[in-house]
Amino acid sequence: MAIVLVVEDDEYVRSAIIQELSRRQHAVRSAGRALDALREITQNPPDAVVLDLGLPDLDGAEALKMVRSVSSVPIIIATARDNEAEIVRLLQAGADDYLVKPFSGDHLNARLDAVLRRARSATPPPLLCVGALSVDLNRREAHLDGAPLTLTRREFDLLAYLAARADRVVSRKELLTEVWQQSYGDDQTIDVHLSWLRRKLGESASSPRYLHTVRGVGVMLITPR
């Protein structure tokens, strides 16, 4: 069972999707407007979202960008639009899957099960430890040598993402996509946050302990030897 948010302005379609998902034992919440959906996602995070594009207050593509700026919840786009270029654009913008209306309940459920499996398998353990550095994902707290680190929201997200991939090089493009939830942007933004993070870890780019830059490739959080 999962908590699923259905974002659909057509009452008939919304009711049909809710009925189908409820029949399969999912706990279903719904919203008919993009801003209501965004509020629901931030205040009562669901396990997955089924998002229509033709919403009355905001185009679904814009709603997708707004959701991705605050949440990594799996999102299935459900719409009558079947333009291939738009499907590609939405998937690149952060959608996890795409369904063209009309679709069957079995089809929706199969896609939902698939994105939930991927999300659950990708979920890191709640406590990440890299050497003397610990990152508690549930409490959103980090400690170094037992002392708490004072981090901004973005610094914590960046540290947590790197800690979950310790000893592996992560490209700036991947950081921009996964941490900043942007498909394009300026590397300088990432470099500035890395500099702040290094300072709080008590190190520098010229004398790194945890955060190592791999020139021309990306950055890596390593276990000190």
Side-chain angles (χ1 to χ4, degrees):
M1 186 188 81
I3 300 172
V4 183
L5 175 64
V6 176
V7 187
E8 167 66 64
D9 66 315
D10 186 305
E11 292 185 11
Y12 176 78
V13 175
R14 184 169 69 238
S15 177
I17 294 176
I18 291 172
Q19 183 176 7
E20 180 62 34
L21 293 177
S22 298
R23 187 172 67 83
R24 298 175 187 269
Q25 307 305 311
H26 294 302
V28 187
R29 301 198 295 264
S30 67
R33 300 167 64 88
L35 294 181
D36 291 338
L38 187 64
R39 188 179 305 111
E40 184 72 20
I41 289 168
T42 55
Q43 294 180 359
N44 302 289
D47 296 315
V49 176
V50 179
L51 175 66
D52 176 52
L53 293 183
L55 300 173
D57 58 335
L58 193 66
D59 182 75
E62 290 301 316
L64 172 62
K65 292 179 183 178
M66 292 176 67
V67 172
R68 276 290 167 256
S69 70
V70 298
S71 174
S72 58
V73 63
I75 299 174
I76 299 175
I77 300 294
T79 181
R81 305 178 194 177
D82 60 355
N83 180 276
E84 182 177 351
E86 177 155 359
I87 293 174
V88 171
R89 182 173 63 86
L90 290 165
L91 291 172
Q92 291 176 337
D96 294 274
D97 208 338
Y98 196 103
L99 276 173
V100 177
K101 299 175 183 175
F103 48 80
S104 68
D106 287 341
H107 193 176
L108 171 60
N109 193 64
R111 296 294 183 97
L112 180 61
D113 285 348
V115 298
L116 287 171
R117 279 197 305 272
R118 290 198 295 269
R120 287 163 180 161
S121 65
T123 301
L127 182 64
L128 304 171
C129 295
V130 183
L133 175 67
S134 65
V135 182
D136 190 322
L137 301 181
N138 290 336
R139 293 177 176 271
R140 291 187 65 83
E141 295 176 350
H143 291 76
L144 179 61
D145 295 320
L149 296 174
T150 303
L151 304 175
T152 65
R153 180 179 68 85
R154 186 70 76 190
E155 288 167 355
F156 180 87
D157 291 344
L158 176 58
L159 180 62
Y161 190 84
L162 292 171
R165 294 153 185 81
D167 300 311
R168 176 171 81 79
V169 179
V170 179
S171 70
R172 282 173 169 76
K173 179 175 176 56
E174 181 177 342
L175 290 174
L176 192 66
T177 302
E178 300 299 331
V179 179
W180 271 261
Q181 301 293 330
Q182 296 176 13
S183 56
Y184 59 88
D186 188 352
D187 284 354
Q188 187 176 2
T189 299
I190 297 173
D191 290 338
V192 168
H193 281 81
L194 286 171
S195 177
W196 291 341
L197 193 52
R198 280 193 176 99
R199 193 176 308 163
K200 293 181 179 181
L201 292 173
E203 59 186 60
S204 65
S206 60
S207 183
R209 183 184 176 202
Y210 284 94
L211 277 176
H212 289 248
T213 297
V214 181
R215 191 174 298 277
V217 182
V219 64
M220 177 168 56
L221 186 75
I222 72 165
T223 305
R225 305 203 181 277

